[in-house]
């Protein structure tokens, strides 16, 4: 004799508001991995900029490269963090979203402050108050 099987009384997974979040362990792992990756890229980026002004020859004076390219690369890391936060938000990975938004905001603040400082330094270098970044057609700009 086959008895009918009753449907479940309440199933929250089949409604219009399906609660499917990313696994918390994978979410934390992805967030930490992305932060580690971004910090590694930033350390390499600014480390290369620092090493461009270092020489072991004591008789020679070396100037560091212009930081504009390195700041652009750091801004690219901030953009990557923002895109990663948007992808994580779509997957409902809350920890990754928060960590990537924090990274994007911190990197953007640091890059903005460094860009303002470098623009001020370029502008006050005694070239009529104009930097090559602001006025690239100047006579002293390459």
């Amino acid at each position: 004799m086959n008895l009918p099987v009753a449907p479940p009384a309440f199933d929250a997974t089949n409604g219009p508001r399906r609660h499917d979040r990313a696994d918390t362990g994978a979410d934390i792992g992805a967030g930490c991995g992305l932060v580690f990756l971004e910090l590694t890229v930033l350390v390499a980026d600014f480390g290369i900029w620092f090493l461009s002004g270092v020489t072991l020859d004591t008789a020679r004076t070396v100037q560091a490269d212009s930081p504009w390219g390195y700041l652009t690369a750091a801004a690219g890391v901030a953009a990557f963090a923002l895109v990663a936060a948007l992808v994580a938000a779509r997957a409902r990975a809350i920890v990754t979203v928060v960590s990537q938004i924090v990274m994007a905001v911190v990197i953007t603040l640091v890059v903005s402050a460094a860009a303002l400082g470098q623009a001020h330094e370029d502008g006050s270098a005694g070239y009529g108050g104009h930097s090559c970044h602001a006025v690239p057609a100047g006579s002293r700009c390459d």
Side-chain angles (χ1 to χ4, degrees):
M1 176 172 181
N2 291 333
L3 296 175
V5 177
F10 178 72
D11 188 8
T13 61
N14 293 334
R17 294 193 54 197
R18 191 172 168 202
H19 299 288
D20 57 344
R21 284 190 46 202
D23 182 35
T24 306
D27 185 14
I28 293 171
C32 292
L34 284 170
V35 168
F36 177 74
L37 176 70
E38 292 158 359
L39 288 176
T40 302
V41 170
L42 289 173
V43 166
D45 182 37
F46 290 116
I48 292 170
W49 172 70
F50 176 76
L51 289 177
S52 71
V54 174
T55 181
L56 298 176
D57 187 6
T58 56
R60 203 172 86 175
T61 304
V62 177
Q63 283 191 333
D65 293 341
S66 175
W68 290 112
Y70 301 99
L71 291 175
T72 304
V77 173
F80 173 79
L82 187 62
V83 169
L86 293 173
V87 170
R90 180 132 171 99
R92 299 186 65 167
I94 305 301
V95 176
T96 304
V97 170
V98 171
S99 67
Q100 292 306 296
I101 288 177
V102 167
M103 284 296 291
V105 168
V106 168
I107 294 169
T108 301
L109 290 175
V110 169
V111 167
S112 298
L116 285 173
Q118 185 62 35
H120 178 72
E121 184 178 323
D122 288 349
S124 64
Y127 296 109
H130 298 292
S131 67
C132 286
H133 183 68
V135 184
S139 60
R140 66 176 177 85
C141 300
D142 294 343

